[in-house]
Amino acid sequence: MTETLSISNLTVAIDDKSILKGVSLDVNPGELHAIMGPNGSGKSTLAQALAGHPAYVVGAGSVATMNGADLLSLSPDERAQQGLFLAFQYPVEVPGVSVQNFLRQAHLARFSQEPKKQFAKVLDFRKHLQKLADKFQIDQAFLSRGLNEGFSGGEKKQLEILQMAVLEPKYAILDETDSGLDIDAIKRVAKGVRKIQKDYNTGIIVITHYQRILDYLKPDFVHVLVAGKIVQSGGAELVASLESSGYASLKEK
Ligand code: ADP
Ligand code: MG
């Protein structure tokens, strides 16, 4: 039995167009991996395919995970139930559904197979949520607002952190979670992500273009995705060399 999220030679196409051309990546619990790479290289495609978005058609490859199950044979809901979390590059606004009601439903779905983790009463869940909000320094007033409705970029990301705290993911993929954030918001998000990683031993994949968030996150591994393939992997030191030389030199490989 393995708790490793083991992506092996994954190929993904959209509308018959090949996007991922054999991606392999092992993520262990508690590890933080960063994926960098130019626009259009397939980073979001990897995230969407792992989450089970129907438009992203998996060809070859496998993704073994929790309890040795083949993640690719599970429905998106089952994947979430198994503890996979995806934070979208563009969070949706859902006016009329409050943050706390949304998180309550998400929690019920996540732990539908684990009765011990469930809260019988709505009030008990709310107390739990308030504790988590305090722990992650999120304003309580936030909880009764409409989901992402009128939220600033930074607030949407705070909500994602809170969502992770509620769902206690085994694996989390954060797609450009730093885009459009100011420096203080980036610091805050990074702090939240590290706390999730530590408190829940979550294996995390952070997709980003920029060095800044990685300076705070201090990833264990950095991978560069170019034209649907990982062309280079290394430690955090790779970030600085990419920042100075760009991706152009890697495309030739
Ligand atoms: P990245 O996140 O690295 O910028 P994406 O994974 O979003 O790249 O996109 C990779 C390629 O797949 C791009 O050429 C993009 O145009 C294409 N693509 C992504 N999503 C779709 C889609 N829903 N329909 C058609 N093409 C898509
Ligand atoms: Mg993207």
Side-chain angles (χ1 to χ4, degrees):
M1 198 164 98
T2 171
E3 289 286 306
T4 306
L5 181 75
S6 187
I7 304 166
S8 176
N9 203 23
L10 188 70
T11 70
V12 175
I14 307 165
D15 295 338
D16 292 334
K17 186 180 160 206
S18 159
I19 309 285
L20 293 187
K21 296 163 183 159
V23 170
S24 298
L25 179 65
D26 277 357
V27 181
N28 290 304
E31 282 180 357
L32 206 153
H33 293 248
I35 297 183
M36 305 185 79
N39 286 320
S41 61
K43 303 181 299 296
S44 295
T45 298
L46 176 64
Q48 296 289 357
L50 289 176
H53 191 299
Y56 298 77
V57 181
V58 174
S62 65
V63 182
T65 176
M66 317 91 175
N67 315 322
D70 175 11
L71 189 83
L72 298 174
S73 68
L74 304 176
S75 70
D77 287 350
E78 288 168 332
R79 296 180 198 199
Q81 252 171 40
Q82 294 275 328
L84 185 78
F85 176 86
L86 172 62
F88 295 103
Q89 191 169 353
Y90 306 104
V92 285
E93 295 195 13
V94 190
V97 174
S98 70
V99 167
Q100 58 196 2
N101 285 346
F102 168 75
L103 291 178
R104 163 85 173 147
Q105 293 310 316
H107 184 270
L108 282 171
R110 162 76 170 96
F111 295 112
S112 62
Q113 309 295 322
E114 294 171 63
K116 277 189 195 150
K117 298 286 287 182
Q118 293 169 13
F119 295 92
K121 297 190 188 120
V122 176
L123 248 161
D124 291 339
F125 175 75
R126 295 236 168 128
K127 278 186 197 150
H128 173 66
L129 189 57
Q130 281 163 6
K131 265 193 213 151
L132 290 177
D134 282 348
K135 188 170 153 187
F136 286 87
Q137 296 171 340
I138 291 167
D139 187 354
Q140 301 274 343
F142 209 72
L143 303 176
S144 47
R145 287 173 58 185
L147 185 63
N148 284 323
E149 196 184 1
F151 282 27
S152 71
E155 287 169 343
K156 284 180 185 168
K157 299 305 160 179
Q158 270 174 261
L159 175 59
E160 276 174 359
I161 301 289
L162 184 61
Q163 202 177 336
M164 282 196 277
V166 166
L167 299 180
E168 304 175 22
K170 287 199 168 111
Y171 303 101
I173 306 164
L174 308 176
D175 193 358
E176 292 199 28
T177 210
D178 53 341
S179 61
L181 298 189
D182 66 39
I183 296 165
D184 290 338
I186 287 177
K187 260 191 207 171
R188 237 181 117 99
V189 166
K191 204 172 146 197
V193 170
R194 287 196 61 110
K195 209 169 167 59
I196 295 285
Q197 180 194 11
K198 190 165 146 278
D199 289 5
Y200 305 108
N201 198 30
T202 303
I204 299 176
I205 300 175
V206 172
I207 295 170
T208 184
H209 281 295
Y210 303 109
Q211 176 171 5
R212 192 176 297 268
I213 192 168
L214 298 180
D215 287 344
Y216 301 120
L217 283 176
K218 301 190 177 21
D220 303 299
F221 303 96
V222 176
H223 312 276
V224 187
L225 190 71
V226 177
K229 280 189 165 173
I230 291 179
V231 296
Q232 198 174 2
S233 293
E237 75 287 345
L238 186 53
V239 182
S241 73
L242 280 172
E243 195 83 8
S244 61
S245 61
Y247 298 122
S249 61
L250 293 168
K251 283 180 188 167
E252 314 305 327
K253 289 188 183 169

